[in-house]
Amino acid sequence: MSFQSAGPLPAAPSERFNFAGHLGSLNRDRSARLAYIDDAGLLTYGELAEQVARFAGGLAGLGLRAEDRALLLMHDCIDWPVAFLGCLQAGVVPVAVNTLLTADDYDFMLSHCRARAAIVSAGLVPVLSQALGAPGQTVEHLLISTRGAAMPATLPLAASDLTQWLPRQPAAGVADTRADDIAFWLYSSGSTGRPKGAVHTHANLYWTAALYAQPVLGLSENDVCFSAAKLFFAYGLGNALSFPLSVGATTVLMAERPTPAAVFARWQNHQPTVFFGAPTGYAGMLASPDLPARKSVALRLCSSAGEALPREIGERFTAQFGCEIIDGIGSTEMLHIFLSNRPGDVRYGSTGKPVPGYQVELRDDAGQTIEASETIGDLFIDGPSAALMYWADRRRSLSTFLGNWTRSGDKYFRDADGYYVYAGRGDDMLKVSGQYVSPFEVESTLMQHAAVLEAAVIGVNDENGLTRARAFVVLKDATQAGDALATELQGFVKSRLAPHKYPRQIDFLAELPKTATGKIQRFRLREAQQQSGSPGGQSLKT
């Protein structure tokens, strides 16, 4: 049985469709409205349209043609949407990549996508230069964003400063692209091997905005949006580009890491009405002694993705700010959120229900659809924003994109009221006493204890070769760590969950290993445990 929320769906884009041109048409009468605020200045919708057209013209002047690739390696600033949309308007394919990677990662990505141009922030030129010097690279042109930084003294090849280059370029019209033409790539996580290049179309950007930004989030031109997730992530790309630009809203961009202090400064200085974050970020903010008062912010709605939002975090945040957090799940492959809570219908501890326009199914290990509630299965999605493929990776494409359906890799169950509840990534699930145990369920329970800031749970084998849960806990006050608290936490979990789910071991750590998006890397905990029996924390076996 597949589930889809009811309601009329927006019309599909026409066959001839360019997303940059689509945004230009939507905002033609908003030229004086503020589109972006970054660390160095402002950009109106009129200025955005002009700079996008000039960027497209400049790419043509460099000899780039439709479907050529351009690596986009930039900190969040006004130049990012100009470059991304300029590529789309020219029919050039931007390949947006994580700014926190190594030269080896960029070497792989450049070779994999065969980029003819690279658009890069000045501060990231040194690490990219190491990759550009590797054999077999195809980059011919380097465009450097110097917003907030000086032009590097040493360059790997001839380069142009965007500040000086862009005003000299002729404005270009919109390329004659199709809705299903390749528009851009995003690389998915490389935690289990080399990153996968998810290939998306012009229509995919349209669908995420049409199905989620307006009907679910209720975004309008009166909103000010601010995303802790960066633009190079699928989540951030929707939050800070396709969503706000589709309704004429204003967006705040921040180049630095989204620490609580940095986020609070933007909340108070720019008064965003909609904030997009991740569970670890919300937990860190609630633990900060500098948490702002409700009256000092203008938040009407918050969004969370990246990992499931623990119930306790959502409830505490709403109590503090009178503002709901709309938890949802999306993916690089689906481009944005397809399963979500709704304003006024938030059930903390769940991921809500399917977004209108998407169908979801839970399937068992044999691939059969699960119709019963409260039964854990693999989550599959059918929706119009799915990627076409992983570039040059037929094996992994075939295992993920199955006809109309996309395999998410996540485990879920559906409760009796139709809300979907996250159980964990497929690789993270535990089977204890022959029954599935969700690490997220145990983690969420631990986080309800007043002493716990964060928690991660993995499976380990005991002396009899049986799988048992082992927890790694970050405390709000590290001085509380010890046998007594470990025993108390085990009893706390036992009192709230079935007996076989409580962690037989508890380790106290200063911090948990995470990805750049804030996702807990449980595989690193498993690897460290296999190598040494303990990843370096205080192991307390009871």
Side-chain angles (χ1 to χ4, degrees):
M1 182 185 300
S2 61
F3 287 81
Q4 176 176 344
S5 294
L9 300 180
S14 61
E15 180 185 356
R16 318 301 295 196
F17 181 79
N18 181 289
F19 186 71
H22 169 68
L23 291 180
S25 297
L26 290 177
N27 295 307
R28 188 170 289 119
D29 297 330
R30 295 186 174 115
S31 60
R33 289 188 63 85
L34 189 59
Y36 283 103
I37 305 169
D38 73 2
D39 299 332
L42 312 173
L43 192 72
T44 66
Y45 273 93
E47 292 166 336
L48 175 63
E50 179 188 357
Q51 291 188 23
V52 166
R54 289 186 182 278
F55 199 97
L59 292 177
L62 293 175
L64 270 70
R65 298 165 295 181
E67 299 183 15
D68 280 340
R69 267 85 69 187
L71 192 83
L72 182 53
L73 174 63
M74 299 172 66
H75 295 301
D76 279 20
C77 67
I78 285 170
D79 286 343
W80 206 108
V82 168
F84 183 86
L85 293 173
C87 287
L88 264 57
Q89 182 150 323
V92 172
V93 177
V95 180
V97 298
N98 192 325
T99 60
L100 303 173
L101 302 180
T102 66
D104 180 62
D105 293 316
Y106 298 134
D107 179 21
F108 167 77
M109 292 173 176
L110 285 167
S111 299
H112 187 240
C113 75
R114 300 190 183 98
R116 290 190 59 207
I119 310 154
V120 57
S121 290
L124 296 169
V125 169
V127 66
L128 185 64
S129 295
Q130 299 175 51
L132 290 172
Q137 295 301 344
T138 56
V139 173
E140 305 165 23
H141 309 286
L142 192 60
L143 300 174
I144 299 178
S145 170
T146 55
R147 287 186 74 83
M151 192 74 168
T154 303
L155 297 169
L157 49 85
S160 299
D161 182 340
L162 277 177
T163 304
Q164 301 172 11
W165 176 82
L166 191 59
R168 299 197 300 265
Q169 306 310 309
V174 179
D176 182 20
T177 55
R178 296 175 177 82
D180 289 338
D181 275 347
I182 294 172
F184 66 101
W185 297 12
L186 296 174
Y187 276 98
S188 66
S189 170
S191 61
T192 56
R194 283 296 193 183
K196 304 180 290 288
V199 178
H200 281 283
T201 69
H202 285 270
N204 288 359
L205 289 161
Y206 166 85
W207 281 117
T208 57
L211 296 177
Y212 191 70
Q214 298 169 49
V216 176
L217 298 178
L219 290 184
S220 75
E221 66 177 14
N222 298 318
D223 279 309
V224 177
C225 299
F226 174 38
S227 176
K230 301 302 184 182
L231 280 159
F232 57 76
F233 295 120
Y235 182 45
L237 182 62
N239 304 341
L241 192 146
S242 57
F243 288 6
L245 296 185
S246 70
V247 298
T250 299
T251 302
V252 177
L253 297 177
M254 178 178 72
E256 65 183 295
R257 289 178 55 247
T259 62
V263 170
F264 297 158
R266 273 72 181 183
W267 282 2
Q268 294 173 307
N269 294 338
H270 301 303
Q271 295 290 293
T273 57
V274 182
F275 174 72
F276 302 86
T280 53
Y282 288 114
M285 287 187 283
L286 288 170
S288 171
D290 300 318
L291 189 67
R294 181 187 298 194
K295 64 181 180 182
S296 69
V297 303
L299 298 173
R300 71 165 182 84
L301 185 67
C302 289
S303 167
S304 181
E307 285 209 301
L309 181 74
R311 180 193 306 272
E312 188 260 353
I313 296 297
E315 291 174 346
R316 286 177 55 204
F317 189 91
T318 297
Q320 171 70 22
F321 293 107
C323 169
E324 293 176 319
I325 300 179
I326 307 303
D327 188 28
I329 181 175
S331 67
T332 304
E333 290 77 8
M334 294 304 297
L335 190 55
H336 213 276
I337 290 172
F338 49 81
L339 186 62
S340 180
N341 281 273
R342 308 285 197 280
D345 183 22
V346 172
R347 181 170 294 194
Y348 286 129
S350 85
T351 317
K353 298 179 179 180
V355 171
Y358 293 89
Q359 296 183 69
V360 301
E361 280 188 0
L362 298 180
R363 300 181 186 176
D364 62 21
D365 293 342
Q368 299 301 306
T369 302
I370 296 172
E371 298 188 10
S373 61
E374 311 295 338
T375 302
I376 293 174
D378 294 301
L379 182 69
F380 286 74
I381 314 100
D382 175 5
S385 62
L388 294 175
M389 60 181 162
Y390 298 131
W391 185 264
D393 197 335
R394 183 174 176 80
R395 179 182 62 82
R396 291 196 286 185
S397 292
L398 289 174
S399 68
T400 298
F401 305 106
L402 309 173
N404 290 337
W405 294 93
T406 300
R407 185 198 307 271
S408 72
D410 296 291
K411 295 279 191 179
Y412 266 83
F413 68 86
R414 187 178 57 255
D415 71 15
D417 297 321
Y419 292 85
Y420 284 76
V421 180
Y422 181 69
R425 291 289 295 174
D427 293 342
D428 293 330
M429 290 297 294
L430 315 179
K431 258 200 171 177
V432 178
S433 301
Q435 303 174 74
Y436 270 128
V437 173
S438 162
F440 178 74
E441 181 183 24
V442 183
E443 292 160 4
S444 298
T445 303
L446 283 165
M447 289 178 63
Q448 294 172 27
H449 192 282
V452 176
L453 178 62
E454 293 181 306
V457 171
I458 65 170
V460 298
N461 291 335
D462 64 15
E463 59 274 12
N464 298 313
L466 301 175
T467 300
R468 296 289 183 258
R470 179 175 182 175
F472 301 90
V473 172
V474 178
L475 298 174
K476 295 174 183 176
D477 179 2
T479 63
Q480 291 183 294
D483 291 323
L485 181 57
T487 301
E488 181 180 333
L489 291 175
Q490 289 174 317
F492 186 80
V493 175
K494 284 181 184 179
S495 69
R496 287 161 171 77
L497 300 179
H500 68 280
K501 296 182 179 181
Y502 88 92
R504 270 45 169 201
Q505 285 182 261
I506 292 182
D507 293 65
F508 294 110
L509 302 180
E511 60 182 359
L512 297 174
K514 297 173 185 172
T515 66
T517 57
K519 293 181 181 179
I520 297 170
Q521 295 176 309
R522 294 174 186 85
F523 76 93
R524 288 182 57 190
L525 295 171
R526 289 194 294 267
E527 289 173 352
Q529 188 276 330
Q530 291 166 1
Q531 292 169 6
S532 65
S534 173
Q538 181 176 355
S539 182
L540 302 170
K541 189 170 183 178
T542 59

